Amino acid sequence: MLVILTALFVTALLCPLLFRVLKRNAFYVVAAVPAVGFIWLLTQLPVVLAADNSLANGAPNAPPSLKIEWISGLNIGLNFRMDSLSATILLLILGVGALVLFYCARYFKNDDPQIGGFAAKMVAFAGAMTGLVTADDVIIMFIFWEITSVLSYLLIGFNQALISARRSAMTALIVTTLGGLIMLAGILMIGSEAGSYQLSEILASADRLVSLGAYTDVAIALIIVGAISKSALVPFHFWLPGAMAAPTPVSAYLHAAAMVKAGVYLIARLAPGFSETNLWVPMTVGIGVLTMLIGGFRALKQHDLKLILAFGTVSQLGFIIAIFGFGTPEAAFAALAMTLAHGLFKATLFLSVGIIDHNTGTRDIRKLSGLRRAMPILSVTAGIAAASMAGVPLTFGFVAKEAIYESALHLEHGWGIVALIGLVLGAGLTMGYSLRFFFGAFGVKKHSVPYLTCKAPTLIFLAPLLLLSAMTLALGLYPQLVEPLMIHWSAAQGGPGKMHLLAFAGLNPALGLSAISISLGLAFYWIRRRTDTGAAPRRMIISAEDIYRMSLNGLDMVAIWITGRTQRGSLSFYLGVILGVVLVVPLGIALTVSTPWPDLWVIADHPAQLLIGALIIAGAVVSVIAPKRFMAVLMVSVTGYGMVAIFALQGHPTWR
């Protein structure tokens, strides 16, 4: 693991040099690094699965791990550990990452500015995500978490000439960083109470932590806030559609396979131990189902292909987190399968939009027409991905959705029926906006001129999409290829191991729910098509983004008000405030906290200290009342030199 991490970050440092020599063809070289990591990961899967199997059978668990002592005094170490959950997410991070970088070699031009820096940030992002999902220390995980936020800001704002890109990048940074800081508070609360910041040890002591009641409830709620802000769930969902200002490869990687999966990963990791806390299910399942419905509804109203996919991503992230939130082995099995399926089909669809935009100059479905005949191979690959997103049979999305329905039907939790109804409605909306995406991109419009003469993409440009769509079909027909990952993750949590991924499980209630959701989706699409006037979607009376903007404006106004009343240009006023705080705070603590008086008073350890102390006090007093600033600065210097003299005579202070 350390070799892969090091290779990714070293490659990021070398990117500017590589691109100076090879131009855009350097993307092929850069793509080879995560590709080699992906191959290495495949070789490690038997070891990972054997370790999870031993844990499920009560034997000592020995997954691939690495421990390097770092800050021993705080019990923080560079600890990494890989199990079936980490391995599944890593398949997306490294596999999709390699294909997206390969795709970039034809998406960008040789004369595009700063493509070397772009590649460096993409590879560094892959490294940060690799560290995040394998870290066994929550502090290290948080560091990687924040690195992804910073790199996301830089990638979304890559086109610095667009004010929309800069604004969207700042929004994403503020929202995800705020969520991360809130999460840090929860992490510190949990780690301090558990006596360790090692993730595996925290989960091992989860029963004791849950028994603490309100303390753990608050800590876990804070962590969930960080997770849902990263994965763009309500009320933080607005940053993801805005992030579509980024180049399409960024959307295909960060917003399909990598960054947005960080929150999903954290919920999946903590669910086995903390799903019994009082706020867990309402926050994960409740917010997840609500997000799925809101995102699906908003996706149906869009005319921009990327925005359809963006709101669809918001919807399906809510879908996945809602299932993980139940914390049962069956739910974990199904949700992990959907996580993998989502990364495959959504990356394919974003890359498809990149080709359409690249070759036609538009993403507006009101203008696109006849692309099916102009780009037949692209229409097939995008059609397969859209079918998987909609949950159509013979695709991996259908297999994963069936598993989710099956797990939801066996939920004994009171939220189960609410979740099941929401999932069926959400899946119907997914079917509706999948049809809107495909026919909007490749259908023939009556009042639009067909794009019959636009340039068809080359096979090398299409290669990543062909591989992803082929994998979607292969896993739809033979889901047993990845089923062991889901089985072992479920079994490691004490699951019965009775669930399986099946291309066709027979005539059962889950299939009936799929039929209902598909029927609903057809109805939603037909209604939207009949009522679509082509006008821009009407804004809500007040949205989450409006609240965010008003909060920032309010903060600016408060800052201006405070600055106007504190920054007066008077040095005596500034020093008076500083000294006032220095006096009031300790005095307030002394008066409110019961502290015994010291038994031994020592005025000075050396006669010279009396003189120096008197000079420091005199300098401090004169600096406040000095009529001229130069005199005040000199007196402040006297206090500084006095402190130096005290240290020279006494030495540094020590704890006793």
Side-chain angles (χ1 to χ4, degrees), residues 20 105 148 180 238 304 340 356 402 466 566 621:
R20 193 174 304 148
T148 62
F238 59 89
D304 186 310
L340 184 58
I356 293 171
E402 289 286 285
L466 292 171
T566 57
V621 173

Side-chain angles (χ1 to χ4, degrees), residues 53-114:
N53 188 54
S54 68
L55 178 63
N57 293 326
N61 189 28
S65 59
L66 173 69
K67 292 187 177 181
I68 300 175
E69 186 175 326
W70 187 28
I71 308 176
S72 56
L74 298 177
N75 195 23
I76 299 173
L78 298 174
N79 302 324
F80 299 94
R81 182 174 179 269
M82 186 166 62
D83 58 8
S84 50
L85 174 62
S86 299
T88 304
I89 306 296
L90 269 181
L91 287 173
L92 292 175
I93 293 169
L94 297 175
V96 175
L99 292 176
V100 170
L101 287 168
F102 187 94
Y103 171 93
C104 288
R106 287 297 169 265
Y107 180 84
F108 290 102
K109 300 176 182 177
N110 281 325
D111 56 354
D112 283 337
Q114 301 180 345

